[in-house]
Amino acid sequence: MGAFDGLVVLITGGASGIGAATARRFAEEGARIAILDRDTTNADPEFTARTVDITDDEGVRAAVRSIGDELGGIDIVINNAGIGAQGDIAANPAEEWLRVLDVNVVGIARVTSAALPYLRSSAHAAVVNTASIAATAGLPQRALYSASKGAVLALTRAMAADHLREGIRVNAVSPGTADTPWVGRLLESAEDPAAERAALNARQPSGRLVTADEVATAILHLADPRSTATTGTSLAVDGGMQELRLRPE
Ligand code: NAD
């Protein structure tokens, strides 16, 4: 018996990186998986997948409804899809601010509100939002991205308060730099990818990047029907980056 036997888990951004690892782990624990992603080319063909951009109101509503109908409900929503942005406060044009906030913040509202009727009728309803170390630590050249992830943390607490009495738990996971295609793209665009990777490794007290699977483990814990008293919180998976101060070796 898996911890998620028979439960339906909807994962945004489930075709790559942390979302794909999370989908696999839920499936191993008996869940039925539905993926919402703007690019489902690499989605595991065993999972139900819908190609939709989470900034598309009508598209999201239609996709969530069709998943709920096809799989007979939705018990768990993993709001994982997100995009990055680099630069200080002056670097990004207004359209980019609006686009990143639309994906990283409003996307969570769109997907979760479309799924609410299903969550309300589940006995094990849970939502997990993906925040970031950038929400709680001041990182250079990440003004817009950090603002979006800070909003994810605030939104997580507000959602948890609103839906507690309906039996829907809402939590967040806060990864440090994780070794996914996202970071692969970041490294490719760096002048010296090897030096950039070494700098990212060194920024974490653990001396290495977080794996997508480690983040998935935390997401499964937060969504687990046995984590009944856990709501409105954020779980860091960052190799100690937020809380620890080690002396140099
Ligand atoms: P990734 O790029 O490998 O995967 C992101 C997935 O989201 C992709 O499949 C992409 O197609 C999908 N997506 C992006 N925008 C979308 C949209 N508008 N509509 C639908 N789908 C969309 O990245 P990842 O590293 O797995 O990141 C997943 C989440 O983890 C993101 O929210 C990211 O901010 C967060 N995060 C990542 C890191 C890291 O270092 N990789 C660190 C902290 C937080």
Side-chain angles (χ1 to χ4, degrees):
M1 290 280 284
F4 296 92
D5 265 344
L7 299 184
V8 175
V9 182
L10 169 62
I11 305 176
T12 69
S16 174
I18 293 169
T22 303
R24 267 195 312 277
R25 294 288 302 282
F26 271 118
E28 283 164 16
E29 292 290 337
R32 287 176 299 147
I33 310 298
I35 283 168
L36 281 194
D37 203 301
R38 67 178 171 189
D39 178 2
T40 52
T41 325
N42 295 321
D44 187 325
E46 283 186 22
F47 303 147
T48 297
R50 298 283 185 276
T51 307
V52 65
D53 192 307
I54 59 167
T55 62
D56 170 4
D57 257 326
E58 191 43 51
V60 165
R61 269 200 299 273
V64 171
R65 212 169 27 239
S66 78
I67 286 166
D69 288 351
E70 184 181 322
L71 299 181
I74 298 170
D75 301 282
I76 292 167
V77 174
I78 309 300
N79 285 307
N80 160 81
I83 54 174
Q86 297 185 50
D88 65 11
I89 194 73
N92 312 102
E95 305 78 61
E96 193 178 358
W97 274 87
L98 295 178
R99 170 74 189 165
V100 173
L101 293 170
D102 202 9
V103 176
N104 292 4
V105 185
V106 189
I108 293 180
R110 270 189 204 95
V111 172
T112 315
S113 66
L116 262 185
Y118 300 104
L119 294 173
R120 284 184 174 127
S121 54
S122 167
H124 302 292
V127 177
V128 181
N129 299 327
T130 304
S132 167
I133 180 73
T136 48
L139 304 180
Q141 303 299 315
R142 291 291 183 277
L144 165 53
Y145 181 66
S146 301
S148 77
K149 292 299 184 176
V152 171
L153 278 192
L155 179 60
T156 299
R157 293 188 204 99
M159 288 166 69
D162 284 335
H163 302 295
L164 178 87
R165 294 195 175 122
E166 298 179 323
I168 305 171
R169 298 182 303 103
V170 185
N171 292 288
V173 70
S174 279
T177 308
D179 202 356
T180 69
W182 169 308
V183 167
R185 290 190 298 272
L186 246 180
L187 294 177
E188 276 167 24
S189 69
E191 259 174 42
D192 182 346
E196 182 66 16
R197 179 177 275 276
L200 290 177
N201 284 339
R203 198 169 66 171
Q204 309 215 152
S206 56
R208 63 164 178 84
L209 299 189
V210 172
T211 68
D213 226 45
E214 288 170 323
V215 183
T217 299
I219 292 174
L220 264 74
H221 166 71
L222 293 169
D224 192 310
R226 295 165 295 188
S227 299
T228 335
T230 305
T231 192
T233 196
S234 165
L235 182 51
V237 188
D238 62 2
M241 186 170 167
Q242 177 61 40
E243 300 292 345
L244 308 185
R245 300 290 179 274
L246 268 65
R247 293 163 66 105
E249 277 186 287

